[in-house]
Amino acid sequence: MKVKVIYCSHTGNTVQVAKAIAEGLPVTSVLQKLQAGFSDEDARIDEDDLIFAGFWVDKGSCPEEMAELLRGVHHRKIALFATAGFGQDPAYFAQIEQRVRALIPDSNRYMGAFFCQGKMQISVRHRYEEIQKQNPEDLKIKQSIENFDLASTHPDDQDLNHAKKFAKEVYQAALDK
Ligand SMILES: Cc1cc2nc3c(=O)[nH]c(=O)nc-3n(C[C@H](O)[C@H](O)[C@H](O)COP(=O)(O)O)c2cc1C
């Protein structure tokens, strides 16, 4: 079975997960990078049986280049993985998963998703701090800062180990059926 790990990563978090997934697989994986759009070569997935498609969460979904890729894949097994700034609540990940999964044509077999938190850029915290200065009692902004700090160490070793485990399980399930 041919396996490909294909991802888009803006600031480097999702790359780490992509590498962990590729390392954990007992096959030679092709690691490709998607950023602004993708080349024909990137998109050539015809020969792959199992695709791990990874993305950074962009406004509650995947970036457009990943959406474009997913919409064009047929008759393959597809698993998703992603990093997101928010993520203390599993329901949040589930919501994004459903949204992105809906982009995948029905001819594919969906193999599940792995999510973890990914650090955000410091400018985001600075923006929160400015808002907090104006509204020191604002609970929502306090929570946003707390979330920023929680995210700041992710993906960590545990996330990467979980990603590897997920990839192995998906690979095994893809072999079984
Ligand atoms: C423009 C932009 C939009 C984002 N939108 C979301 C979002 O809707 N939800 C979320 O949880 N994180 C959001 N994030 C945070 C990133 O998804 C998160 O930091 C991710 O780990 C970045 O991955 P990367 O380093 O692979 O690019 C956003 C970040 C940026 C820059």
Side-chain angles (χ1 to χ4, degrees), residues 4 6 8 10 26 44 47 54 81-84 86 88 92 98 107-108 115 121 126 137 143 146 161 171 173:
K4 181 172 281 178
I6 190 161
C8 44
H10 189 54
R44 197 179 305 151
E47 292 174 5
F81 64 97
T83 66
F86 297 91
Q88 298 308 307
Y92 182 67
Q98 289 313 314
S107 68
N108 297 285
F115 279 78
Q121 285 168 316
H126 292 156
E137 303 306 320
Q143 285 167 345
E146 281 169 7
N161 284 334
Y171 180 78

Coordinates of all heavy atoms in Angstrom, one line a residue, residues 4 6 8 10 26 44 47 54 81-84 86 88 92 98 107-108 115 121 126 137 143 146 161 171 173:
K4 N 0.9 8.5 1.5 CA 1.5 9.8 1.3 C 1.0 10.7 2.5 O -0.2 10.6 2.9 CB 1.0 10.5 0.0 CG 1.6 11.9 -0.2 CD 1.3 12.4 -1.6 CE 2.2 11.8 -2.6 NZ 2.0 12.2 -4.0
I6 N 0.6 14.6 3.2 CA 0.6 15.8 2.5 C 0.0 16.9 3.4 O -1.0 16.7 4.1 CB -0.1 15.7 1.2 CG1 0.0 16.9 0.3 CG2 -1.6 15.3 1.3 CD1 -0.3 16.6 -1.2
C8 N -0.3 21.3 4.8 CA 0.1 22.7 4.7 C 0.3 23.3 6.1 O -0.4 22.9 7.0 CB -1.0 23.5 3.9 SG -2.7 23.2 4.4
H10 N 1.7 26.9 8.1 CA 2.0 28.3 8.0 C 3.2 28.7 8.8 O 4.1 29.4 8.4 CB 0.7 29.1 8.4 CG 0.7 30.5 8.1 ND1 1.0 31.0 6.9 CD2 0.5 31.6 8.9 CE1 0.9 32.4 6.9 NE2 0.6 32.7 8.1
P26 N 5.3 2.2 8.9 CA 6.2 1.2 8.4 C 6.3 1.1 6.9 O 6.4 0.0 6.3 CB 5.6 -0.1 9.0 CG 4.2 0.2 9.0 CD 4.0 1.6 9.3
R44 N -0.5 15.2 -7.4 CA -0.5 13.8 -8.0 C -0.6 12.8 -7.0 O 0.4 12.3 -6.4 CB 0.7 13.6 -8.9 CG 0.4 12.4 -9.9 CD 1.6 12.2 -10.8 NE 2.0 13.3 -11.5 CZ 3.2 13.6 -11.9 NH1 4.2 12.7 -11.7 NH2 3.5 14.6 -12.6
E47 N -1.6 7.5 -7.4 CA -1.0 6.2 -7.1 C -1.0 5.8 -5.7 O -0.6 4.8 -5.3 CB 0.4 6.2 -7.6 CG 0.5 6.3 -9.2 CD 1.9 6.4 -9.6 OE1 2.8 6.3 -8.8 OE2 2.1 6.6 -10.8
G54 N -2.9 16.9 6.1 CA -2.7 17.7 7.3 C -2.8 19.2 7.1 O -2.4 19.7 6.0
F81 N -5.2 15.2 9.7 CA -4.6 15.7 10.9 C -4.5 17.2 10.9 O -4.4 17.8 9.8 CB -3.2 15.0 11.1 CG -2.2 15.3 10.1 CD1 -1.2 16.2 10.4 CD2 -2.1 14.6 8.9 CE1 -0.2 16.5 9.5 CE2 -1.1 14.8 8.0 CZ -0.1 15.8 8.3
A82 N -4.4 17.8 12.1 CA -4.4 19.2 12.1 C -3.9 19.8 13.4 O -3.9 19.1 14.4 CB -5.9 19.8 11.9
T83 N -3.4 21.0 13.4 CA -3.1 21.7 14.6 C -3.9 23.0 14.7 O -4.2 23.6 13.6 CB -1.6 22.1 14.7 OG1 -1.3 23.0 13.7 CG2 -0.7 20.9 14.6
A84 N -4.3 23.3 15.9 CA -5.2 24.5 16.1 C -4.8 25.3 17.3 O -4.3 24.7 18.3 CB -6.7 24.0 16.3
F86 N -6.8 26.8 19.3 CA -7.7 26.5 20.4 C -7.8 25.0 20.5 O -7.5 24.3 19.5 CB -9.1 27.1 20.2 CG -9.0 28.6 20.2 CD1 -8.8 29.3 19.0 CD2 -9.1 29.3 21.4 CE1 -8.6 30.7 19.1 CE2 -8.9 30.7 21.4 CZ -8.7 31.4 20.3
Q88 N -8.8 23.1 23.9 CA -9.1 22.5 25.2 C -10.3 21.7 25.2 O -10.5 20.8 26.0 CB -9.1 23.5 26.3 CG -7.8 24.3 26.5 CD -6.6 23.4 26.6 OE1 -6.6 22.6 27.5 NE2 -5.6 23.6 25.8
Y92 N -14.7 21.2 20.0 CA -14.2 22.1 19.0 C -13.5 21.4 17.9 O -13.7 21.7 16.7 CB -13.2 23.1 19.7 CG -12.7 24.2 18.8 CD1 -13.6 25.2 18.3 CD2 -11.4 24.2 18.4 CE1 -13.1 26.1 17.4 CE2 -10.9 25.2 17.5 CZ -11.8 26.1 17.0 OH -11.3 27.1 16.2
Q98 N -15.7 17.7 11.2 CA -16.9 17.5 10.4 C -16.9 18.4 9.2 O -17.3 18.1 8.1 CB -18.2 17.7 11.3 CG -18.4 16.6 12.3 CD -18.3 15.2 11.7 OE1 -18.8 14.9 10.7 NE2 -17.6 14.4 12.4
S107 N -16.6 9.0 -2.7 CA -15.9 7.8 -3.3 C -14.7 7.4 -2.4 O -14.2 6.3 -2.6 CB -15.5 8.1 -4.7 OG -14.5 9.1 -4.7
N108 N -14.3 8.3 -1.5 CA -13.2 8.0 -0.7 C -13.6 7.3 0.6 O -14.8 7.4 1.0 CB -12.4 9.3 -0.3 CG -11.8 10.0 -1.5 OD1 -10.8 9.5 -2.0 ND2 -12.5 11.0 -1.9
F115 N -6.1 15.6 16.0 CA -6.0 17.0 16.2 C -5.1 17.3 17.5 O -5.2 16.5 18.4 CB -7.3 17.7 16.5 CG -8.1 18.0 15.3 CD1 -8.9 17.0 14.6 CD2 -8.2 19.3 14.9 CE1 -9.6 17.3 13.5 CE2 -9.0 19.6 13.8 CZ -9.7 18.7 13.1
Q121 N 1.3 32.8 17.1 CA 2.3 33.8 17.1 C 2.1 34.9 18.2 O 1.0 35.2 18.6 CB 2.4 34.5 15.7 CG 3.0 33.5 14.7 CD 2.8 34.0 13.3 OE1 1.8 34.4 12.8 NE2 3.9 33.9 12.5
H126 N -0.1 39.8 22.2 CA 0.0 41.2 22.3 C -1.4 41.9 22.1 O -1.8 42.8 22.7 CB 1.1 41.8 21.4 CG 2.4 41.4 21.8 ND1 3.5 41.3 21.0 CD2 2.9 40.9 23.0 CE1 4.6 40.9 21.6 NE2 4.3 40.6 22.8
E137 N -11.7 43.4 33.3 CA -12.6 42.4 33.9 C -13.1 41.4 32.9 O -13.9 40.5 33.3 CB -13.7 43.1 34.6 CG -13.4 44.1 35.7 CD -12.4 43.5 36.7 OE1 -12.6 42.4 37.1 OE2 -11.5 44.3 37.1
Q143 N -9.5 34.3 29.3 CA -9.5 32.9 28.9 C -8.6 32.7 27.6 O -7.9 31.7 27.4 CB -10.9 32.3 28.6 CG -11.6 32.1 29.9 CD -13.1 31.9 29.7 OE1 -13.7 32.2 28.7 NE2 -13.8 31.3 30.7
E146 N -5.1 32.7 28.6 CA -4.7 31.4 29.2 C -4.6 30.4 28.1 O -3.7 29.6 28.2 CB -5.8 31.0 30.2 CG -5.7 31.7 31.5 CD -6.9 31.5 32.4 OE1 -7.8 30.7 32.1 OE2 -7.0 32.2 33.4
N161 N 3.7 11.8 19.8 CA 3.5 10.3 20.0 C 2.1 9.9 19.7 O 1.9 8.8 19.2 CB 3.9 10.0 21.5 CG 5.4 9.9 21.6 OD1 6.2 9.7 20.7 ND2 5.9 10.2 22.8
Y171 N -3.1 3.1 9.5 CA -2.4 2.3 8.5 C -2.9 0.8 8.6 O -3.2 0.1 7.6 CB -0.9 2.4 8.7 CG -0.1 1.5 7.8 CD1 0.1 2.0 6.5 CD2 0.4 0.3 8.1 CE1 0.8 1.2 5.6 CE2 1.2 -0.5 7.3 CZ 1.4 0.0 6.0 OH 2.1 -0.8 5.1
A173 N -5.7 -0.3 9.9 CA -7.1 -0.4 9.5 C -7.2 -0.4 8.0 O -8.0 -1.1 7.4 CB -7.9 0.7 10.1

